[in-house]
């Protein structure tokens, strides 16, 4: 039996595929290639030294999904597939609800029809909203989200909670990510956003490699040690290994569980810029810009539950995250298109 990985050629999905295969777990991957390149598939295979089934399928395509279930022996799902840019979600809310929420509904319906009732969902710390005080714990109230992207994550969490409550055969694990950064140590896989990056570290990397002029630091008057926003950054390989632990948990613990995947350490925007400057060997230029609406001062995880119940803790520090990102970016200045 295999794990179906939706969005498995994307940034987090591809690294998770490597860790799943390295752990001896069979996988089947689907991706519509909207946010990634097919060459990611070849790089995963090169790293693990073996092949695995890949299907170009959109999660909204029930017929396409059913064909995959007909061909492959699937007993669980890791669900990454989804649109993920906060700013874009504000401009295109209907597209985000259609892709993320409707797509998940279609996926869950096909899973149910095929007797597949184990799922790990790629959620986000954004579901905690702006009112909870860090460190954030899994038992805090969620739902006070400030953008359509975050609302899709919250709605899907609600869907999965309701499904789990209605049918004891379902095993559901909600993984709330904080800020994934870094790349595979080989330098052959990393984050390759379309167009101008929305997230901080890919933007810094593009500046460092000369693709962009400077980093805009949005706000320097937050209630933090250096005035810039503080966030919990986690190495993507640590995050991927958390999914392996979550899949193993589903096999022995039915019901619903929620876990934060973060380091429990907050780094400021300037901390990240300075650490990346050290990693790449030269200063990364930046300028201060006005705050963005909806940004909070501090956001970081309490990862204790994942440590206790999954046996998972983040292993890599900020230095490693920046070094691996620079290795990926400098080796692949044009990403997977290069």
């Amino acid at each position: 039996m295999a794990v179906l990985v939706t969005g498995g050629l994307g940034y987090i999905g591809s690294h998770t595929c490597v860790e799943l295969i390295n752990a001896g777990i069979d996988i089947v991957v689907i991706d519509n290639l909207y946010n990634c390149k097919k060459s990611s598939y070849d790089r995963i295979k090169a790293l693990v030294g073996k092949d695995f089934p890949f299907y170009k399928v959109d999660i909204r395509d029930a017929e396409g999904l059913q064909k995959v279930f007909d061909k492959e022996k699937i007993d669980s799902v890791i669900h990454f597939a989804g649109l993920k840019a906060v700013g874009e979600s504000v401009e295109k809310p209907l597209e985000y609800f259609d892709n993320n929420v409707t797509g998940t509904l279609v996926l869950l319906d096909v899973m149910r029809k095929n007797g597949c009732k184990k799922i790990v969902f790629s959620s986000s710390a954004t579901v905690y909203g702006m009112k909870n005080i860090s460190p954030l714990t899994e038992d805090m109230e969620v739902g006070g989200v400030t953008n359509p992207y975050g609302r899709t994550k919250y709605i899907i969490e609600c869907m999965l909670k309701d499904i789990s409550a209605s049918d004891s055969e379902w095993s559901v694990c909600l993984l709330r990510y904080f800020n994934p950064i870094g790349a595979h140590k080989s330098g052959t896989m990393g984050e390759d956003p379309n167009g101008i990056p929305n997230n901080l570290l890919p933007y810094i990397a593009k500046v460092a490699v000369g693709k962009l002029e400077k980093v805009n630091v949005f706000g320097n008057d937050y209630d933090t040690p250096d005035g810039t926003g503080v966030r919990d950054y986690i190495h993507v390989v640590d995050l991927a290994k958390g999914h392996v632990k979550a899949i193993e948990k589903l096999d022995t613990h039915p019901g619903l569980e929620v876990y934060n995947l973060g380091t429990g350490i907050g780094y400021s925007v300037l901390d990240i810029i300075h650490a990346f400057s050290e990693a790449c060997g030269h200063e990364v230029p930046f300028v201060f810009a006005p705050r963005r609406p909806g940004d909070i001062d501090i956001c970081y995880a309490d990862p204790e539950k994942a440590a206790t119940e999954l046996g998972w803790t983040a292993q890599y520090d900020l230095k490693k995250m920046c070094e691996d990102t620079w290795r990926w970016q400098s080796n692949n200045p044009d990403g997977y298109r290069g």
Side-chain angles (χ1 to χ4, degrees):
M1 302 298 282
V3 177
L4 176 66
V5 185
T6 75
L9 299 188
Y11 174 46
I12 302 171
S14 60
H15 287 81
T16 301
C17 287
V18 169
E19 297 306 320
L20 288 166
I21 294 171
N22 285 343
I25 298 171
D26 292 330
I27 65 170
V28 176
V29 171
I30 65 170
D31 204 302
N32 67 0
L33 304 181
Y34 178 81
N35 270 326
C36 62
K37 298 291 182 292
K38 176 71 182 301
S39 56
S40 174
Y41 173 53
D42 300 318
R43 299 200 187 190
I44 297 169
K45 290 193 297 181
L47 283 172
V48 299
K50 64 181 295 186
D51 201 356
F52 55 89
F54 164 69
Y55 299 90
K56 185 181 178 182
V57 176
D58 191 293
I59 56 171
R60 294 167 293 182
D61 178 6
E63 183 178 342
L65 288 173
Q66 184 57 55
K67 288 179 179 177
V68 175
F69 274 86
D70 288 341
K71 291 180 180 178
E72 308 290 345
K73 295 180 179 179
I74 295 166
D75 73 341
S76 57
V77 174
I78 298 180
H79 181 28
F80 293 109
L83 300 176
K84 61 178 185 175
V86 170
E88 183 183 62
S89 78
V90 175
E91 298 170 0
K92 301 177 178 179
L94 291 180
E95 285 81 358
Y96 269 67
F97 283 103
D98 175 47
N99 189 90
N100 296 5
V101 177
T102 303
T104 302
L105 276 171
V106 173
L107 173 67
L108 292 170
D109 188 44
V110 173
M111 288 176 63
R112 179 177 60 177
K113 288 175 179 175
N114 288 274
C116 177
K117 296 184 176 182
K118 294 188 290 187
I119 184 169
V120 174
F121 173 56
S122 164
S123 191
S124 167
T126 191
V127 301
Y128 287 112
M130 299 181 65
K131 294 183 179 180
N132 288 312
I133 303 300
S134 293
L136 300 169
T137 58
E138 292 87 347
D139 57 358
M140 287 179 169
E141 184 177 350
V142 296
V145 292
T146 59
N147 56 75
Y149 161 75
R151 268 184 282 279
T152 67
K153 293 294 187 182
Y154 173 64
I155 291 168
I156 294 168
E157 281 203 6
C158 291
M159 287 163 45
L160 290 167
K161 289 176 182 178
D162 289 342
I163 289 170
S164 176
S166 72
D167 183 349
S168 61
E169 292 183 356
W170 280 87
S171 295
V172 176
C173 188
L174 309 178
L175 298 181
R176 293 174 181 161
Y177 307 167
F178 280 69
N179 294 269
I181 60 176
H184 194 272
K185 63 183 180 181
S186 66
T188 62
M189 287 195 343
E191 188 168 8
D192 182 25
N194 291 326
I196 296 176
N198 291 289
N199 296 326
L200 177 63
L201 202 70
Y203 200 103
I204 292 174
K206 291 289 187 185
V207 172
V209 82
K211 293 287 185 179
L212 294 171
E213 181 184 359
K214 59 183 179 295
V215 180
N216 292 303
V217 178
F218 298 104
N220 63 346
D221 58 350
Y222 287 102
D223 186 16
T224 62
D226 64 19
T228 64
V230 169
R231 300 292 182 268
D232 190 332
Y233 294 89
I234 177 174
H235 197 295
V236 66
V237 173
D238 277 331
L239 187 62
K241 291 178 178 178
H243 289 77
V244 177
K245 293 291 189 180
I247 277 291
E248 293 170 349
K249 175 88 170 180
L250 290 187
D251 288 334
T252 57
H253 291 78
L256 182 137
E257 294 290 350
V258 184
Y259 298 102
N260 288 333
L261 293 186
T263 64
I265 301 169
Y267 296 105
S268 74
V269 176
L270 292 185
D271 287 336
I272 302 295
I273 292 174
H274 296 325
F276 203 89
S277 295
E278 290 188 17
C280 72
H282 59 84
E283 290 299 316
V284 175
F286 68 90
V287 294
F288 291 114
R291 289 192 187 196
R292 295 177 301 188
D295 279 350
I296 58 176
D297 294 28
I298 299 172
C299 177
Y300 64 94
D302 180 342
E304 182 59 32
K305 186 180 177 185
T308 301
E309 297 187 13
L310 294 181
W312 173 91
T313 56
Q315 300 298 309
Y316 299 125
D317 61 13
L318 180 59
K319 182 174 185 288
K320 172 72 169 170
M321 299 180 212
C322 291
E323 287 174 348
D324 287 346
T325 301
W326 176 240
R327 186 179 302 109
W328 153 255
Q329 187 67 74
S330 57
N331 289 346
N332 304 269
D334 297 313
Y336 290 105
R337 293 170 291 276

